[in-house]
Amino acid sequence: MIPLLKRLGLNKYNVDPKPHIEVNTDICITCKDKPCTVSCPAGTYEALPDGRIMVHYERCLECGGALVICPYGAIKFRFPEGGVSYNYG
Amino acid sequence: MSSFDADVIIVGGGLAGLSAGITAVKEGLNVILLERGEYSGAKNVSGGRMYIHALQKLIPDALEKAPLERPITKETFEIYCGENKKLVFSFEEKGKKNSYSVLRAKFDRWLAGEAENLGLLISYSTLVLNAYRENGGITLETNRGTLRAPLVIDASGVTSIVFRSLGLRKFTPDKWMLGVKEIVKTDINLKEDEGEAKIVVNLIKGVNGGGFVYTNKDTLSVGMAVTFDSLPKSEVPAQDLVEVFRERLGIQGEVLEYSAHAIPYYGFKNLPPIYDKNVIAVGDAAGFLIDDGFTIRGMDLAIASGMIAGLAAKKIVDLKDFTRTDIYYQMLKESFVLKHLELAYSRFSLLNKPETLNTYPEVLCNVLSDIFTVTEERKTLIDYALFRLKEKGISLTQAIKDMVSAAK
């Protein structure tokens, strides 16, 4: 299997200096299942040992899924300026 | 009224937005199209198969000049059932030119060029951040300043920024699919005028949805589309879905791109609001996707709804009554767009029941296994079928009912 980061590295990114995803990690502490960690195709949400979520927003493939994957409304998402550009699509 | 920047602003330069723009410009309207990508197609991902009837209406000589990949001349369904069984069937029709594989970064960029040649003003790298009503029109806040129009066409894809900002969208993970896809460079052992569309079901356990392999000119589009609410139950996390899928299919070659996109999966009876005062939604932003088990289509619906929006915009502008966006809806109802969505609904909802894509294939494969096994014991086909249905807790009445809705 090609590792995720290598696959993401195939894409052209122009990372927005301002993070376009914010997570209210106070909510994450109370969330057991953390569906975001298995629902994002870019592995943007990483669970930390203290129960909070670390956001790797620069990996984002801009699928839009962030708007539906958190049942507790902890994810605030907008599309980035710049971001990913596909060559094939 | 002079405070408006255009008659119509279109948000999103994909298929729906460009089709709306081309049509509105031909109708003589003053139009601005905003595209957040550096070029049209930069942010767009499709499974990669377009039924071209709508495109041919938009651009009559499209077949000669559009960057299409291959005509699809072979339909294959590969259904995995149980531990070590699979059912495969193919239908081939050589010379068919009804649908083509496409790669959107190329295709949309070409269509945007056509639109610009026709006089459509496209502002690239322009990201709409918010939309609100003000003085009888819509104000759009973008990364490049504020723009205003009495009529806005939301062609921004499933996340529909305009309708969402106006409070007209409520998203849930069961009504959206995650599409993940890889472009794989490999030898395509087909003639130039042949292409295959393969649908794969049940290869990954736990997900609600399926996978696809489409042949392009010299690459494959390999991907999966599954509902977001099924991802936590998947045996494979979203980030590895397409890789595991590709490996299990045994597809080798150089992976050139990894992409992802959300897909509307509402069905006719659950469509979101598609028009409101001053606003019209087209394509994915309107939730237009058809999956009837045989055909999976969004791109022709995007082009056609965009064209209808462009025509409706002209009528609305002429009336100078921007509350009359119901004109768009009436025209849609008379078009194939809403008619086909309605036609597909019976099988669409059947496909959404877990037994359809999981249990029934297993029953079918078990019956086939029985029939192909010879021992001293032998039963009639119907007895095998009844036994295998009962084993899965499905009554004959239920099976017949489902068969009837599948035939609709």
Side-chain angles (χ1 to χ4, degrees):
Chain A
M1 194 164 75
I2 306 172
L4 173 71
L5 292 182
K6 200 169 166 203
R7 267 180 284 141
L8 294 175
L10 299 169
N11 298 334
K12 195 175 87 189
Y13 284 99
N14 179 8
V15 176
D16 189 336
K18 294 185 301 271
H20 66 285
I21 306 171
E22 282 171 42
V23 174
N24 182 343
T25 57
D26 290 340
I27 297 176
C28 303
I29 295 177
T30 65
C31 172
K32 261 197 175 155
D33 298 332
K34 301 204 168 15
C36 61
T37 59
V38 292
S39 301
C40 172
T44 302
Y45 310 94
E46 186 188 342
L48 297 175
D50 67 355
R52 291 177 195 271
I53 289 288
M54 184 172 176
V55 185
H56 302 281
Y57 80 94
E58 72 287 351
R59 295 182 187 175
C60 181
L61 292 167
E62 299 170 38
C63 74
L67 295 171
V68 296
I69 59 174
C70 179
Y72 310 108
I75 301 176
K76 216 173 123 195
F77 175 89
R78 65 165 174 85
F79 283 109
E81 276 189 59
V84 74
S85 284
Y86 293 120
N87 284 317
Y88 297 90
Chain B
M1 291 299 260
S2 60
S3 64
F4 291 124
D5 295 289
D7 295 330
V8 186
I9 296 179
I10 301 169
V11 179
L15 296 176
L18 290 169
S19 304
I22 288 171
T23 309
V25 162
K26 281 186 182 165
E27 291 291 317
L29 296 181
N30 175 10
V31 188
I32 302 174
L33 188 149
L34 312 177
E35 162 57 42
R36 70 184 178 89
E38 267 178 72
Y39 46 87
S40 269
K43 306 286 187 182
N44 294 353
V45 182
S46 288
R49 175 189 192 165
M50 182 194 289
Y51 292 88
I52 54 157
H53 62 116
L55 174 67
Q56 286 177 304
K57 267 205 167 157
L58 181 70
I59 313 269
D61 55 348
L63 263 189
E64 283 111 74
K65 49 185 191 177
L68 302 164
E69 294 290 313
R70 284 171 179 271
I72 300 300
T73 54
K74 185 177 179 184
E75 318 269 357
T76 297
F77 292 81
E78 198 166 305
I79 300 160
Y80 288 77
C81 39
E83 277 306 293
N84 38 18
K85 303 186 196 76
K86 77 171 173 185
L87 183 69
V88 184
F89 65 95
S90 284
F91 172 70
E92 212 170 336
E93 193 175 346
K94 287 198 171 138
K96 191 162 191 169
K97 290 187 157 57
N98 183 242
S99 68
Y100 284 75
S101 50
V102 292
L103 294 168
R104 295 288 301 279
K106 274 193 236 172
F107 189 89
D108 291 29
R109 205 169 184 170
W110 164 79
L111 188 60
E114 294 285 310
E116 285 173 323
N117 289 342
L118 290 165
L120 178 63
L121 175 68
I122 304 180
S123 174
Y124 295 102
S125 301
T126 306
L127 173 69
V128 173
L129 298 159
N130 191 20
Y132 53 89
R133 294 182 192 285
E134 191 179 42
N135 303 329
I138 301 286
T139 300
L140 299 171
E141 287 173 2
T142 82
N143 60 331
R144 306 186 160 216
T146 298
L147 287 162
R148 304 192 61 243
L151 183 62
V152 170
I153 297 178
D154 191 344
S156 67
V158 63
T159 55
S160 36
I161 181 68
V162 180
F163 276 66
R164 178 157 49 103
S165 299
L166 295 173
L168 298 167
R169 285 289 179 275
K170 227 178 140 182
F171 300 134
T172 55
D174 57 322
K175 299 284 190 291
W176 276 18
M177 279 187 153
L178 169 67
V180 281
K181 177 177 164 185
E182 285 178 355
I183 301 293
V184 184
K185 176 120 181 116
T186 184
D187 285 337
I188 309 286
N189 296 315
L190 290 171
K191 287 186 197 148
E192 208 173 282
D193 59 347
E194 291 175 10
E196 184 183 19
K198 186 193 278 187
I199 300 295
V200 181
V201 180
N202 267 347
L203 188 52
I204 306 284
K205 299 272 174 299
V207 294
N208 173 25
F212 57 86
V213 182
Y214 297 138
T215 50
N216 303 314
K217 277 208 169 88
D218 48 17
T219 57
L220 293 175
S221 290
V222 182
M224 289 200 75
V226 305
T227 58
F228 273 100
D229 67 327
S230 73
L231 282 165
K233 294 167 245 166
S234 168
E235 59 170 322
V236 177
Q239 63 189 59
D240 296 328
L241 209 52
V242 67
E243 266 295 285
V244 173
F245 177 71
R246 180 178 65 82
E247 285 194 340
R248 287 191 187 170
L249 285 178
I251 295 172
Q252 292 180 336
E254 187 190 352
V255 175
L256 299 177
E257 184 168 275
Y258 170 54
S259 58
H261 214 278
I263 304 162
Y265 206 67
Y266 297 96
F268 180 71
K269 292 195 180 158
N270 304 309
L271 287 175
I274 52 184
Y275 67 97
D276 202 83
K277 259 191 327 184
N278 311 90
V279 287
I280 284 171
V282 292
D284 278 8
F288 294 154
L289 179 115
I290 288 176
D291 177 4
D292 65 9
F294 296 100
T295 60
I296 302 167
R297 318 150 42 185
M299 290 188 266
D300 61 329
L301 305 174
I303 291 173
S305 62
M307 290 170 74
I308 292 166
L311 295 173
K314 167 71 174 164
K315 292 189 184 180
I316 295 163
V317 169
D318 284 350
L319 278 173
K320 294 192 176 67
D321 182 354
F322 297 95
T323 64
R324 289 297 314 281
T325 46
D326 62 298
I327 290 172
Y328 166 63
Y329 186 66
Q330 291 306 325
M331 290 169 73
L332 264 186
K333 275 209 292 198
E334 286 156 26
S335 76
F336 79 87
V337 176
L338 284 180
K339 284 181 187 161
H340 286 195
L341 270 154
E342 189 171 16
L343 270 178
Y345 189 70
S346 171
R347 267 207 301 276
F348 177 87
S349 36
L350 184 66
L351 285 169
N352 264 315
K353 296 202 311 191
E355 56 264 38
T356 312
L357 289 180
N358 297 310
T359 317
Y360 279 126
E362 249 186 82
V363 169
L364 184 57
C365 286
N366 287 339
V367 171
L368 286 167
S369 174
D370 292 338
I371 284 282
F372 287 121
T373 306
V374 175
T375 62
E376 283 186 24
E377 292 265 329
R378 194 85 179 145
K379 291 185 204 165
T380 60
L381 179 58
I382 184 74
D383 280 344
Y384 281 130
L386 288 173
F387 171 72
R388 292 303 188 178
L389 278 169
K390 202 177 157 196
E391 191 182 45
K392 293 284 174 197
I394 302 172
S395 70
L396 186 61
T397 333
Q398 186 60 48
I400 291 171
K401 248 170 81 181
D402 287 343
M403 254 161 77
V404 170
S405 25
K408 275 185 190 160

